[in-house]
Amino acid sequence: MSIPTTSGRLLLVDAHALAYRSFYGIRNLKSAGGMPTNAIYGFIKALDRMRAALSPTHWMVIWDGGLAAERLAALPEYKAQRPPMPDDLRQQLDGINEYLDAAGIVHHCEAGEEADDRIATVTRLAGEAGLAVVIASPDKDFLQLVADQVGVWSPNDKSGVVWGREQVVHKTGVPPEQIVDWLSLVGDAVDNIPGVPGVGPKTAAELLCQYGKLEALYATGGGAFPDKLRASLSSSRELVFRNRQLVRLNQDLPGEVDWRKCMVHPPDTEALQRLFERWDFKSMSGPPKPLQATQAELFSG
């Protein structure tokens, strides 16, 4: 997908997703003092690759600040199955933020606020400011935001393609505007959200292609469905509409964005050199190098 720009292109990075991917993708990397640095190294290299591939004029890194209270109220088990963050990763988060500060990259974290919702809100604000948006994340929840000026770039997609409407339909069977209802039927094991028993991605897509929205689907009474499917949908009605509340991203969080601060500009090279020396990143020390990072270079051990 080629996203045209008006006032520029904003790259929004799902920080926790990238930190975890970097941590598990690179093993046994430590400074001379024994501090783990694998997540920091991978995060930096991934940002370099994103900038080289996507040519943003603006960028922002957004961290999770906790779980949204309204989602926990609707489903106390929401994301409860996730294990705690590994200590070796947690102790690298401050270092990643030190790098972002030295590189001049705006980063955001708000207590009790999920990164997904802040990314959705910033995406809306960027559109109002005339900026095209690329969201860097493997999270399929972001597919609901895809539009003419909004795409999703996943590090799991080796093609390097920015997903637009065509890619969303090819992957899920439904367009972006139906992703929320599709996820409501299918559920999301990653977030501990159960779906309708017996309704997988393909069946959910077929139902929505036929009926359009959940309201229309349930208005039929299921008379045309096989008995097992009709019974499953009927018994799961409350779950499905609750799921819709859980999976729909909040685009109306409070706050504004200073787009001038988000512009890509030269980093504080002296501050970066001090960090690279502290972490023993010898390949990053010295004069700045061209921004070119291959997939193998990003996550090789």
Side-chain angles (χ1 to χ4, degrees):
M1 175 188 180
S2 177
I3 297 183
T5 62
T6 48
S7 298
R9 178 182 292 116
L10 170 68
L11 172 62
L12 285 174
V13 179
D14 182 354
H16 270 89
L18 183 56
Y20 267 93
R21 180 177 173 84
S22 301
F23 178 76
Y24 286 110
I26 301 173
R27 298 289 186 171
N28 302 320
L29 185 62
K30 296 183 178 181
S31 69
M35 173 189 169
T37 56
N38 53 331
I40 299 172
Y41 183 86
F43 202 101
I44 294 171
K45 297 295 281 186
L47 285 179
D48 282 355
R49 177 175 178 253
M50 290 178 196
R51 182 178 176 185
L54 302 171
S55 301
T57 57
H58 301 69
W59 50 0
M60 183 186 300
V61 172
I62 300 181
W63 296 95
D64 275 316
L67 300 179
E70 60 272 19
R71 293 193 177 97
L72 285 173
L75 179 64
E77 300 82 15
Y78 176 64
K79 296 186 179 181
Q81 88 289 5
R82 296 188 178 184
M85 179 181 289
D87 289 340
D88 279 1
L89 172 55
R90 186 175 300 281
Q91 63 181 290
Q92 295 183 67
L93 299 187
D94 286 345
I96 292 174
N97 283 330
E98 286 185 83
Y99 167 79
L100 295 173
D101 288 334
I105 303 172
V106 171
H107 53 97
H108 176 92
C109 182
E110 185 72 30
E113 183 180 286
E114 296 188 52
D116 292 11
D117 293 324
R118 178 54 60 181
I119 289 173
T121 296
V122 174
T123 296
R124 174 183 62 80
L125 294 172
E128 294 171 358
L131 289 165
V133 178
V134 177
I135 300 167
S137 175
D139 191 339
K140 58 182 174 293
D141 288 350
F142 291 121
L143 300 182
Q144 65 189 269
L145 301 178
V146 169
D148 289 344
Q149 292 283 319
V150 180
V152 173
W153 184 90
S154 172
N156 295 338
D157 183 357
K158 294 183 179 180
S159 73
V161 171
V162 176
W163 282 28
R165 184 182 183 89
E166 179 183 348
Q167 287 78 16
V168 173
V169 173
H170 177 75
K171 178 66 175 181
T172 68
V174 298
E177 57 269 21
Q178 288 184 314
I179 287 294
V180 169
D181 284 357
W182 181 77
L183 286 170
S184 299
L185 291 166
V186 174
D188 189 344
V190 173
D191 291 345
N192 209 30
I193 300 174
V196 178
V199 175
K202 183 177 180 180
T203 299
E206 290 172 350
L207 291 170
L208 291 172
C209 286
Q210 183 174 355
Y211 294 100
K213 295 179 69 67
L214 293 178
E215 288 82 359
L217 168 62
Y218 275 98
T220 66
F225 303 151
D227 291 347
K228 188 174 181 179
L229 176 59
R230 182 172 65 250
S232 188
L233 286 168
S234 177
S235 65
S236 301
R237 180 186 179 106
E238 184 177 343
L239 173 146
V240 168
F241 283 95
R242 183 215 54 198
N243 284 357
R244 184 190 263 179
Q245 300 174 39
L246 296 170
V247 302
R248 178 179 281 129
L249 300 181
N250 183 357
Q251 294 184 273
D252 296 307
L253 292 177
E256 297 297 327
V257 178
D258 186 338
W259 297 115
R260 290 172 299 178
K261 290 183 178 179
C262 296
M263 292 180 70
V264 176
H265 55 264
D268 182 337
T269 54
E270 291 184 1
L272 286 180
Q273 288 304 312
R274 289 194 295 270
L275 290 174
F276 295 158
E277 289 170 7
R278 190 175 94 202
W279 296 326
D280 295 306
F281 290 171
K282 294 180 174 60
S283 65
M284 295 184 186
S285 298
K289 300 176 178 61
L291 292 174
Q292 50 184 9
T294 65
Q295 182 74 19
E297 186 181 11
L298 279 176
F299 299 113
S300 62

